[in-house]
Amino acid sequence: MDRFSISSGLMTASLGQHISELRTQIGKTSTEATTGRYEDLTLHLSGRIGKAMLGQKALADISTDREVLNLRASRLSLIQTSLGTVQESSSGIAANMLSAIGGEHETDVGIAARDAKAALSASLSSLNARYGDRFLFAGDATSTLPFSDQSALLADIELIADSATDSADFATQLDDYFTSPTGGWLQNIYQGSTTASDPESVTADNDAIKSLIRDLTVLAISGPDGPLASLDGYKTLVQETSLSLSSSETQITNLRADLGVYEERNAIEQKTLDTEETLLTASFNDLTARDQYEAATELQSLQTTLEASYLITARLSQLSLLNYLG
């Protein structure tokens, strides 16, 4: 083999190696031009890789924390909506019943009792609110439906009214029903837990909620044909229950205000995360960002060099000793 053939072969092999390296560099630079980040961070950052990794982890933690805050915000919003429905359902009933019973207008008393029954149904339904697989008003028993329909509750209170000797006796039995651990409220009606590990959650056994349900139930059976109408002290009982309903609505308002504090705190935490993310992203970009215009310019230069290398390789492959001598 002559010296020219050997030299040509060596040049071709060298160019082949050079072309392979150019292809690798073009692939890397193309990725960097697209993503705006260095592909080989370890090489680029050298001794600063640890700092970059910590920044990346902090950004990932922020993303996780934001998911938790968004979940919490959604739950609080749904709780607020449900309690708002409870308030709206009972709105005006106390005033209407006081006016009707005070004027001894049986028809209006019956209408107010009917409205109380409808509000009771709407309230229990709203308190069965669910977020995913979690019943929001069931306390720690998150997989348990808090209430069935209102029929069992109305039946229990009607039975108490039927057995009561007068309105005072009815009130005493009613207190036991709703407050005693062995009373009908916990034994027959509310199926959730009385405790909640999440401080931002509200159980349907909350005093404000339970008081409103109690008042609505009593007013729902207070019509002129209801079991309470025959009891001594009936009128006073209905008036006191109506006033209690107004007070219960105020308690619901206060409860919602307390939840609003949690919502505000949640919103502040989200804003704090946004600020932290902005600062960390800027710091991470300072370490890892690749100027995309610079990368695109370098890519164009590499592609031009590759095309020239292909052309030289093609010419070398066509050369022979005669071409060279000629």
Side-chain angles (χ1 to χ4, degrees):
M1 182 179 293
D2 57 66
R3 285 180 295 173
F4 173 76
S5 297
I6 294 172
S7 177
S8 177
L10 290 173
M11 290 179 65
T12 300
S14 178
L15 278 170
Q17 177 65 28
H18 180 60
I19 287 171
S20 176
E21 292 173 355
L22 279 172
R23 285 175 173 171
T24 300
Q25 185 65 22
I26 284 173
K28 181 172 74 70
T29 306
S30 177
T31 299
E32 292 173 350
T34 302
T35 63
R37 294 198 186 280
Y38 285 97
E39 186 179 58
D40 190 343
L41 290 179
T42 303
L43 177 63
H44 169 67
L45 294 171
S46 185
R48 299 177 298 167
I49 186 64
K51 182 178 179 181
M53 295 299 290
L54 286 174
Q56 194 171 37
K57 182 182 183 304
L59 286 170
D61 289 343
I62 285 176
S63 179
T64 300
D65 291 343
R66 181 178 285 109
E67 289 179 4
V68 173
L69 289 176
N70 288 338
L71 177 63
R72 187 183 300 166
S74 297
R75 287 175 178 169
L76 283 169
S77 177
L78 186 51
I79 291 172
Q80 286 280 27
T81 298
S82 298
L83 291 176
T85 298
V86 171
Q87 277 189 306
E88 292 169 8
S89 299
S90 62
S91 179
I93 292 174
N96 292 338
M97 182 61 88
L98 282 171
S99 175
I101 199 72
E104 298 185 352
H105 302 302
E106 289 191 356
T107 300
D108 292 340
V109 171
I111 292 173
R114 180 201 62 196
D115 291 344
K117 185 176 181 179
L120 176 63
S121 177
S123 296
L124 294 181
S125 178
S126 184
L127 293 169
N128 281 334
R130 184 174 184 170
Y131 187 86
D133 294 331
R134 177 176 179 173
F135 289 101
L136 297 179
F137 291 91
D140 288 337
T142 56
S143 61
T144 303
L145 182 73
F147 301 107
S148 56
D149 61 50
Q150 62 180 344
S151 58
L153 177 57
L154 288 171
D156 281 357
I157 306 307
E158 286 176 345
L159 184 61
I160 292 175
D162 287 333
S163 65
T165 56
D166 54 27
S167 59
D169 182 44
F170 172 79
T172 299
Q173 291 190 55
L174 192 69
D175 282 339
D176 184 69
Y177 182 91
F178 278 98
T179 61
S180 172
T182 59
W185 169 255
L186 291 179
Q187 297 301 313
N188 304 331
I189 308 304
Y190 175 59
Q191 300 303 307
S193 171
T194 58
T195 60
S197 301
D198 182 357
E200 296 179 358
S201 66
V202 178
T203 76
D205 189 53
N206 179 278
D207 288 341
I209 296 173
K210 185 164 58 175
S211 176
L212 184 137
I213 291 175
R214 168 179 169 159
D215 296 333
L216 286 176
T217 305
V218 173
L219 294 183
I221 63 169
S222 295
D225 297 326
L228 288 180
S230 60
L231 292 179
D232 290 338
Y234 158 69
K235 181 177 179 179
T236 300
L237 173 64
V238 174
Q239 289 174 327
E240 289 177 350
T241 303
S242 299
L243 292 173
S244 176
L245 177 59
S246 293
S247 177
S248 297
E249 290 172 338
T250 299
Q251 292 179 55
I252 295 292
T253 298
N254 293 337
L255 176 59
R256 295 187 67 191
D258 291 340
L259 290 171
V261 173
Y262 287 121
E263 288 182 301
E264 182 180 12
R265 183 185 304 167
N266 196 69
I268 291 173
E269 289 181 15
Q270 287 180 317
K271 288 181 180 179
T272 300
L273 284 183
D274 291 340
T275 301
E276 291 178 1
E277 184 178 45
T278 299
L279 294 174
L280 284 169
T281 299
S283 176
F284 186 70
N285 284 340
D286 286 342
L287 290 171
T288 66
R290 175 76 149 102
D291 187 298
Q292 289 177 283
Y293 177 78
E294 179 187 81
T297 301
E298 182 180 329
L299 179 62
Q300 185 176 11
S301 176
L302 288 169
Q303 289 172 333
T304 299
T305 303
L306 180 62
E307 290 171 2
S309 299
Y310 279 138
L311 181 60
I312 293 171
T313 302
R315 287 177 178 175
L316 280 174
S317 68
Q318 294 173 6
L319 284 176
S320 65
L321 181 59
L322 290 177
N323 295 139
Y324 180 78
L325 293 175

